[in-house]
C-alpha cells in the first residue's frame, strides 16, 4: 500500500470519491493518468488534441474505479505550449481543471533521477490528490480571459519582429566585414546608395546572400510598421495605457505592455502577490544559524520583470525628485556596480507597487511628475 492510499483510506479524509486526472502533454501523444484515491493509477495514451478520446478515457476510468457516471472529475496539466484552450474546453465539459506552473513542482534532489512521461503523469496525479486535501504543493497559473490573452499578441509579436530585425541587420554587417566593408547603417536610402557603390567589391554568391538578407530585413521592417500603426490606432481606446503613460519615464510602448501583461486583467490583494507574479519576491534561506537571501525568485512574468528593471533606470534619470529616486540614492548610489545592480532590482519592485497603486487607485507616486496632457495618437 502506498502512502497516498494509506492517507485516503482514513474516515476523516476531506477528499470525496471523485475521479482525479493528470495530463502529460506532448506534441504527438498525451498520457492520461487516473485515480479516485483508492485504486491504483489507470493510464491511457491518446493522440495529441483528441478531445473525443479524452472523454472516452474518462468514462473508462470511472468504470474501472467503480465510480458513478455522474461523479465529478478534477484534472491538471503543466503550463506549456498548449496554452489555455484545453483548460477552457475541460471547463465546458464540467471538469474542474487547474494549470500548474511547472517550475513549482517538487522533484527528487538526488543527482540522477528517473524521468519519463509515465512517471511525470503519476507525480502530477499524486500532487493533485494532495492539492485536493488542501496542501500547498505547487503554484497555480491564473487564467486570462480570451480577450486579454488575444490582446497580448500585438506587443509580443512586435518584440519578436524587433529581435528578427536586429538579427538580419547584424548578419548583413557580419557578411560585409568579411571584405572589410563597414556601412554606417543597414536599411533606408543611405544604405541603398552605399550598397550601390560597394556592391562590385563583393563576390557574386555572397552578394546574392546579402540581397536575400536585405529582402527578409525589409519584410520584417514592413510588418513592424503595420503592427505599430495598428497599436497607435488602438491607444486612444485604452484609458489605462493613457493613465500610465502620463508619468514621466513611461512611454506608450511600456504602458501598453504593463496594461496588457499585468494591470489590465490581474487582480492583486497586496504588494506581496504583485511581487510574486513578477518574480521579484525574495528567496530566503534559513537553516539552523544560517540566515541569508538567495536573491529574487524569477518565477513570474519575465517580460514585465525585464521592463520594470529598464523603467527603474529610466525613472532615476527622468524622475529625480521622486521619493523612489531619493530612496535609491540614499541606499545604493554610492555603492559599487554590484550594489547598484542589486539596488535597481529593489527599485523595480518598489516601482511595480507604486504603478499598481497608481493604476488601481490613482495614487501618484510621491514626488513624481506627470507629462502635459496631449492626445496619444499625436
Amino acid at each position: 500500500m502506498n502512502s497516498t492510499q494509506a492517507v485516503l483510506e482514513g474516515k476523516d479524509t476531506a477528499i470525496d470519491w471523485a475521479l482525479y486526472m493528470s495530463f502529460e502533454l506532448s506534441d504527438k501523444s498525451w498520457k492520461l493518468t487516473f485515480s479516485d484515491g483508492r485504486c491504483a493509477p489507470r493510464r491511457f495514451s491518446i493522440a495529441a488534441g483528441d478531445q473525443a478520446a479524452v472523454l472516452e478515457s474518462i468514462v473508462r476510468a470511472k468504470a474501472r474505479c467503480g465510480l458513478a457516471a455522474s461523479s465529478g472529475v478534477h484534472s491538471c496539466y503543466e503550463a506549456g505550449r498548449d496554452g489555455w484552450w484545453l483548460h477552457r474546453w475541460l471547463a465546458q465539459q464540467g471538469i474542474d481543471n487547474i494549470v500548474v506552473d511547472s517550475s513549482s513542482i517538487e522533484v527528487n534532489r538526488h543527482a540522477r533521477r528517473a524521468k519519463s512521461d509515465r512517471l511525470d503523469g503519476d507525480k502530477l496525479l499524486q500532487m493533485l490528490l494532495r492539492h485536493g486535501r488542501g496542501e500547498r504543493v505547487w503554484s497555480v497559473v491564473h487564467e486570462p480571459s480570451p480577450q486579454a490573452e488575444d490582446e497580448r499578441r500585438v506587443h509580443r509579436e512586435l518584440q519578436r519582429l524587433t529581435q528578427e530585425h536586429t538579427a538580419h541587420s547584424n548578419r548583413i554587417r557580419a557578411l560585409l566585414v568579411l571584405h572589410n566593408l563597414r556601412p554606417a547603417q543597414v536599411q533606408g536610402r543611405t544604405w541603398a546608395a552605399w550598397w550601390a557603390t560597394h556592391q562590385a567589391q563583393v563576390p557574386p554568391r555572397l552578394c546574392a546572400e546579402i540581397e536575400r538578407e536585405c529582402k527578409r530585413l525589409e519584410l520584417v521592417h514592413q510588418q513592424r510598421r503595420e503592427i505599430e500603426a495598428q497599436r497607435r490606432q488602438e491607444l486612444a481606446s485604452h484609458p489605462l495605457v493613457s493613465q500610465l503613460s502620463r508619468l514621466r519615464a513611461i512611454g506608450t510602448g511600456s504602458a501598453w505592455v504593463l496594461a496588457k501583461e499585468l494591470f489590465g486583467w490581474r487582480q492583486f490583494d497586496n504588494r506581496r502577490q504583485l511581487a510574486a507574479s513578477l518574480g521579484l519576491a525574495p528567496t530566503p534561506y534559513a537553516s539552523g544559524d544560517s540566515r541569508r537571501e538567495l536573491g529574487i525568485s524569477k518565477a513570474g512574468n519575465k517580460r514585465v520583470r525585464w521592463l520594470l528593471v529598464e523603467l527603474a533606470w529610466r525613472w532615476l534619470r527622468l524622475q529625480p525628485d521622486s521619493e523612489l529616486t531619493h530612496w535609491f540614492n540614499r541606499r545604493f548610489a554610492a555603492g559599487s556596480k554590484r550594489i547598484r545592480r542589486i539596488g535597481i532590482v529593489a527599485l523595480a519592485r518598489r516601482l511595480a507597487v507604486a504603478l499598481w497603486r497608481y493604476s488601481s487607485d490613482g495614487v501618484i507616486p510621491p514626488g513624481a511628475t506627470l507629462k502635459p496632457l496631449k492626445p496619444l495618437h499625436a
Side-chain angles (χ1 to χ4, degrees), residues 95-107:
I95 298 173
D96 177 30
N97 182 73
I98 56 176
V99 181
V100 180
D101 179 6
S102 57
S103 63
S104 68
I105 297 176
E106 62 185 23
V107 296

Side-chain angles (χ1 to χ4, degrees), residues 269-284:
D269 296 329
N270 51 61
R271 57 188 176 85
R272 293 180 180 85
Q273 290 184 4
L274 173 62
S277 72
L278 300 173
L280 292 173
T283 308

Side-chain angles (χ1 to χ4, degrees), residues 44-225:
F44 299 93
S45 180
I46 64 173
D50 192 341
Q51 300 169 337
V54 172
L55 298 178
E56 181 183 355
S57 299
I58 292 174
V59 173
R60 293 169 59 190
K62 285 183 177 180
R64 291 189 180 185
C65 294
L67 298 174
S70 59
S71 299
V73 181
H74 306 275
S75 66
C76 69
Y77 66 88
E78 297 180 40
R81 60 181 298 182
D82 281 271
W84 292 101
W85 77 266
L86 178 58
H87 174 80
R88 294 177 181 129
W89 178 77
L90 290 171
Q92 292 173 0
Q93 309 306 312
I95 298 173
D96 177 30
N97 182 73
I98 56 176
V99 181
V100 180
D101 179 6
S102 57
S103 63
S104 68
I105 297 176
E106 62 185 23
V107 296
N108 192 324
R109 293 189 296 171
H110 288 145
R112 294 183 180 180
R113 60 184 179 90
K115 177 178 173 58
S116 66
D117 289 344
R118 177 180 179 275
L119 294 175
D120 290 346
D122 289 352
K123 180 67 174 180
L124 278 176
L125 181 62
Q126 292 172 10
M127 297 184 72
L128 180 61
L129 291 169
R130 291 167 56 190
H131 176 80
R133 294 199 298 270
E135 294 186 40
R136 185 177 179 180
V137 295
W138 50 30
S139 297
V140 177
V141 182
H142 290 266
E143 176 197 3
S145 66
Q147 179 182 358
E149 182 183 15
D150 189 59
E151 288 179 349
R152 295 188 298 194
R153 304 317 317 166
V154 175
H155 64 270
R156 291 188 178 187
E157 183 183 5
L158 185 59
Q159 181 184 28
R160 187 172 62 254
L161 289 174
T162 301
Q163 294 172 350
E164 291 183 18
H165 187 279
T166 302
H168 289 309
S169 178
N170 290 343
R171 177 60 179 167
I172 294 172
R173 292 179 183 274
L175 293 174
L176 290 171
V177 168
L178 294 174
H179 294 273
N180 197 27
L181 297 175
R182 306 173 191 274
Q185 66 180 49
V186 182
Q187 206 170 28
R189 296 180 180 178
T190 304
W191 157 255
W194 184 93
W195 179 238
T197 59
H198 293 81
Q199 186 173 1
Q201 303 178 33
V202 181
R205 289 183 176 82
L206 180 58
C207 181
E209 182 178 355
I210 292 175
E211 292 285 355
R212 288 189 291 269
E213 282 286 348
C214 289
K215 292 179 180 179
R216 288 191 285 268
L217 180 62
E218 179 58 33
L219 176 61
V220 171
H221 183 63
Q222 178 183 352
Q223 292 178 347
R224 284 179 59 192
R225 286 182 296 182

Side-chain angles (χ1 to χ4, degrees), residues 141-378:
V141 182
H142 290 266
E143 176 197 3
S145 66
Q147 179 182 358
E149 182 183 15
D150 189 59
E151 288 179 349
R152 295 188 298 194
R153 304 317 317 166
V154 175
H155 64 270
R156 291 188 178 187
E157 183 183 5
L158 185 59
Q159 181 184 28
R160 187 172 62 254
L161 289 174
T162 301
Q163 294 172 350
E164 291 183 18
H165 187 279
T166 302
H168 289 309
S169 178
N170 290 343
R171 177 60 179 167
I172 294 172
R173 292 179 183 274
L175 293 174
L176 290 171
V177 168
L178 294 174
H179 294 273
N180 197 27
L181 297 175
R182 306 173 191 274
Q185 66 180 49
V186 182
Q187 206 170 28
R189 296 180 180 178
T190 304
W191 157 255
W194 184 93
W195 179 238
T197 59
H198 293 81
Q199 186 173 1
Q201 303 178 33
V202 181
R205 289 183 176 82
L206 180 58
C207 181
E209 182 178 355
I210 292 175
E211 292 285 355
R212 288 189 291 269
E213 282 286 348
C214 289
K215 292 179 180 179
R216 288 191 285 268
L217 180 62
E218 179 58 33
L219 176 61
V220 171
H221 183 63
Q222 178 183 352
Q223 292 178 347
R224 284 179 59 192
R225 286 182 296 182
E226 293 174 356
I227 295 176
E228 289 171 347
Q230 174 189 348
R231 188 172 65 174
R232 283 194 298 269
Q233 293 177 355
E234 298 178 2
L235 283 175
S237 61
H238 290 83
L240 181 57
V241 176
S242 176
Q243 180 185 359
L244 288 169
S245 61
R246 283 210 63 201
L247 283 170
R248 291 192 182 277
I250 299 181
T252 54
S254 300
W256 180 280
V257 175
L258 290 172
K260 300 302 181 182
E261 291 281 353
L262 190 65
F263 299 131
W265 65 279
R266 288 292 302 271
Q267 300 295 324
F268 303 100
D269 296 329
N270 51 61
R271 57 188 176 85
R272 293 180 180 85
Q273 290 184 4
L274 173 62
S277 72
L278 300 173
L280 292 173
T283 308
Y285 181 89
S287 179
D289 296 332
S290 177
R291 298 287 189 277
R292 59 193 178 95
E293 287 287 341
L294 301 180
I296 59 175
S297 64
K298 296 186 179 181
N301 190 316
K302 62 181 181 181
R303 291 180 177 85
V304 182
R305 183 170 65 252
W306 295 345
L307 175 61
L308 284 169
V309 172
E310 294 178 359
L311 290 178
W313 286 114
R314 196 182 307 168
W315 188 272
L316 294 177
R317 181 166 53 89
L318 299 178
Q319 296 280 11
D321 298 325
S322 68
E323 287 190 6
L324 288 175
T325 301
H326 293 326
W327 173 84
F328 177 87
N329 291 335
R330 289 194 307 268
R331 296 286 301 272
F332 304 102
S336 63
K337 290 183 179 180
R338 177 178 178 275
I339 295 300
R340 290 198 296 271
R341 286 197 298 268
I342 294 174
I344 207 66
V345 175
L347 178 62
R349 173 173 172 156
R350 286 176 173 253
L351 179 60
V353 175
L355 294 178
W356 167 55
R357 290 171 177 165
Y358 173 64
S359 62
S360 59
D361 301 326
V363 179
I364 300 175
T369 58
L370 301 178
K371 303 172 188 174
L373 281 174
K374 63 179 181 179
L376 283 172
H377 60 273

Side-chain angles (χ1 to χ4, degrees), residues 15-16 18-22 33-37 74 125 128-129 132:
I15 294 182
D16 58 353
L19 185 67
Y20 292 82
M21 168 178 60
S22 69
T33 309
F34 297 89
S35 178
D36 62 351
H74 306 275
L125 181 62
L128 180 61
L129 291 169

